[in-house]
Amino acid sequence: MFETTHQRNPGEDSNHPGAFDAHGGNVHDVDLERANGVGRIVLTGSERGTRIADVYQKFPIGIVFPRIGDDLAIEAVIINSSGGIAGGDRLEIEVTALNNASVAVTTQAAEKIYRALDRPARVSTKLKACGTAKLAWLPQETIVFNKARIHRLTEIDLCSGAELIALEWLVFGRAARGE
């Protein structure tokens, strides 16, 4: 689990966490429309290959399964249709691989964490591999932009005999932009 917060720039007013609305009052993350998405997949395996047992998607999270050849392994691609994550957003991803399932899970693009006015975005990931399942969690990088705040929780449940490879990587802004 990690939480990342942007440090205020010199001279930045710390008493005003948000922007001002048209009427002169503070705007808070809770006042804005926030994403609340869920993506959940369960896969099972047999001698004939890996099969999708269950899929649940709640906007803005979508999951697609491109064909990568035989059915022995499946690739799942997680899509965040909102294009990024901002303060107050809540996203949950859950991947369960059972029996002889073999799955590689990735994302369609880098995850972008944008400005938060007064509360962090919350991203929860649960990975579970049971039996002799093989699970690869290989999302593209997370880019944390200026004034971004995120609370990420990753839970891993790995049963005896199962295999897991997992990667989470961060990029702190864009150097060319002074971030």
Side-chain angles (χ1 to χ4, degrees):
M1 175 176 74
F2 66 84
E3 184 162 346
T4 302
T5 18
H6 167 269
Q7 299 297 319
R8 294 193 182 278
N9 294 322
E12 189 174 11
D13 188 351
S14 62
N15 294 325
H16 293 70
F20 287 97
D21 68 11
H23 304 293
N26 269 348
V27 176
H28 301 276
D29 287 315
V30 73
D31 299 325
L32 304 172
E33 185 176 343
R34 300 285 47 142
N36 187 11
V38 178
R40 184 172 49 246
I41 57 175
V42 178
L43 302 118
T44 62
S46 69
E47 294 167 0
R48 294 188 341 228
T50 301
R51 301 283 180 253
I52 301 165
D54 186 39
V55 177
Y56 175 77
Q57 305 169 84
K58 178 182 172 193
F59 184 81
I61 299 298
I63 305 169
V64 296
F65 300 91
R67 301 280 301 182
I68 58 171
D70 59 33
D71 289 334
L72 296 178
I74 286 184
E75 182 176 0
V77 179
I78 298 170
I79 299 169
N80 179 352
S81 301
S82 67
I85 301 170
D89 289 354
R90 299 174 84 73
L91 301 177
E92 297 176 31
I93 302 294
E94 188 173 335
V95 180
T96 302
L98 304 171
N99 307 323
N100 292 326
S102 182
V103 61
V105 183
T106 188
T107 55
Q108 95 286 8
E111 179 179 63
K112 296 160 195 79
I113 310 298
Y114 294 115
R115 178 181 177 198
L117 299 176
D118 60 350
R119 61 180 55 189
R122 297 195 174 275
V123 179
S124 171
T125 305
K126 295 179 182 178
L127 307 173
K128 183 175 184 175
C130 295
T132 56
K134 295 178 176 126
L135 171 58
W137 173 253
L138 303 169
Q140 294 192 42
E141 72 273 18
T142 297
I143 302 172
V144 182
F145 289 94
N146 276 349
K147 300 182 184 176
R149 292 172 56 194
I150 181 173
H151 179 267
R152 180 184 299 277
L153 175 65
T154 301
E155 296 179 29
I156 296 174
D157 185 357
L158 187 61
C159 300
S160 178
E163 298 177 25
L164 171 76
I165 183 169
L167 170 71
E168 291 279 352
W169 52 311
L170 295 173
V171 176
F172 292 105
R174 301 167 291 188
R177 291 273 183 126
E179 297 177 340

